[in-house]
Amino acid sequence: MKPKVAFFDFTCCEGCQLDTLNLTGEELVDLLKAVDIVNFREVKTERDNNYDIAFVEGSISRESEIPRLQQIRDYAKVVVALGACACIGGINCLKNHLPMDEALRMVYAEDAKYYDTIPARPIDAVISVDFYVRGCPIDTAEFLKVVKALLLDKKPEIPNYPVCVECKMAGNVCVFEKGITCLGPVIRAGCNAICVSSGRYCWGCRGLVDDPNIASQKDILEKYGLTVEQVIEKFKIYNTVAEVTK
Ligand code: SF4
Ligand code: SF4
Ligand code: SF4
């Protein structure tokens, strides 16, 4: 019997689910040989509540999403958070810096009265989560690594060191040298520092490493004459500011 796998989405852009379909043809065929996909709204209409592994994408931002997520937890043996929205709340949490009625009005204007919203939160604020596939969007190689580990009944090995390590290995010049702040010193690696390698800086989409060295990040800011406020603004984008203050 192949394990039954289900994909679910909550508040999000569904880009992470879409990314799982960006596996190469060969990878996708191998995956479909190994598992039965019984729920996946983006690719099939059939539904089945009998599944072993649930990949859950999106943050929780409405009351009605809470019982739906709890039901998924009840049905699944293993729950995996898929992407930054599910893992750390993600960009949906930007609205948490506003009163909820103001956030609703900004999006829906005079129709705001027809909608409800609550502060956005990661799925592990509502249910227990077994594993995390991080990033905005996820890295498909890491997704496959997690699936393979689950099929072998092993714990997936996800980096627990900062993006700076991969950034240095990629031979990038540190953006702090250009007066730009970067969250790389405290954010979990696994993306090969793709943003810095592409001419940007780390926004923190993979969330914090365990036990992040926040003091060291402050020291770097001081060394380059930058302010804590500048880095806090960047922490807000993916809700890593909430992780820092937990
Ligand atoms: S993590 Fe990013 S790509 Fe994935 S669903 Fe959320 S917003 Fe979309
Ligand atoms: S650019 Fe960012 S990720 Fe790269 S070394 Fe500098 S602080 Fe670290
Ligand atoms: S460099 Fe930072 S923002 Fe870019 S993918 Fe990696 S963790 Fe996310």
Side-chain angles (χ1 to χ4, degrees), residues 163-164 167-168 172-176 182-185 193 196 201-202:
V163 172
C164 289
C167 188
K168 297 286 185 204
N172 294 317
V173 173
C174 181
V175 298
F176 279 103
C182 177
L183 299 187
V196 187
Y201 52 83
C202 179

Side-chain angles (χ1 to χ4, degrees), residues 2 7 11-12 14 25 45 61-62 65-66 87 91-92 97 103 113 120-121 126 130 144 149 172 214 224 232 234 241:
K2 294 195 277 185
F7 288 80
T11 305
C12 65
E14 300 187 25
T45 48
S61 72
R62 282 181 297 156
E65 292 179 325
I66 293 175
C87 293
I91 54 174
N92 301 311
H97 303 286
K113 58 182 176 291
R121 60 204 71 183
V126 178
D130 300 297
L144 267 191
N172 294 317
I214 301 293
Y224 288 97
I232 290 288
K234 285 194 170 67
V241 70

Side-chain angles (χ1 to χ4, degrees), residues 16-188:
C16 289
Q17 280 187 88
L18 200 57
D19 236 26
T20 64
L21 303 174
N22 282 337
L23 295 169
T24 65
E26 204 176 315
E27 288 168 337
L28 211 46
V29 169
D30 284 348
L31 180 65
L32 294 175
K33 276 188 200 158
V35 301
D36 267 339
I37 296 181
V38 297
N39 265 292
F40 198 152
R41 193 171 64 83
E42 288 188 2
V43 294
K44 61 187 290 186
T45 48
E46 295 83 12
R47 301 276 187 273
D48 187 348
N49 280 335
N50 179 17
Y51 44 82
D52 304 297
I53 304 170
F55 286 95
V56 178
E57 184 194 39
S59 58
I60 301 307
S61 72
R62 282 181 297 156
E63 286 288 352
S64 59
E65 292 179 325
I66 293 175
R68 181 176 163 236
L69 180 61
Q70 286 167 332
Q71 191 179 57
I72 291 168
R73 178 69 270 186
D74 288 345
Y75 287 148
K77 294 188 183 89
V78 175
V79 172
V80 184
L82 193 65
C85 296
C87 293
I88 56 175
I91 54 174
N92 301 311
C93 294
L94 278 174
K95 76 169 179 179
N96 296 358
H97 303 286
L98 298 171
M100 287 301 105
D101 54 349
E102 193 180 329
L104 268 182
R105 266 200 314 277
M106 282 175 75
V107 176
Y108 298 109
E110 66 274 13
D111 290 333
K113 58 182 176 291
Y114 299 116
Y115 298 93
D116 71 282
T117 194
I118 57 174
R121 60 204 71 183
I123 64 168
D124 65 6
V126 178
I127 59 165
S128 61
V129 170
D130 300 297
F131 300 107
Y132 299 81
V133 182
R134 296 171 183 273
C136 177
I138 56 160
D139 179 270
T140 48
E142 191 169 75
F143 167 73
L144 267 191
K145 193 161 102 173
V146 169
V147 172
K148 279 182 195 162
L150 294 180
L151 294 180
L152 295 170
D153 207 16
K154 289 185 171 166
K155 187 172 176 224
E157 283 181 27
I158 304 298
N160 193 15
Y161 47 81
V163 172
C164 289
V165 174
E166 292 176 339
C167 188
K168 297 286 185 204
M169 284 167 68
N172 294 317
V173 173
C174 181
V175 298
F176 279 103
E177 297 290 344
K178 305 174 199 166
I180 298 169
T181 54
C182 177
L183 299 187
V186 290
I187 297 299
R188 188 182 301 269

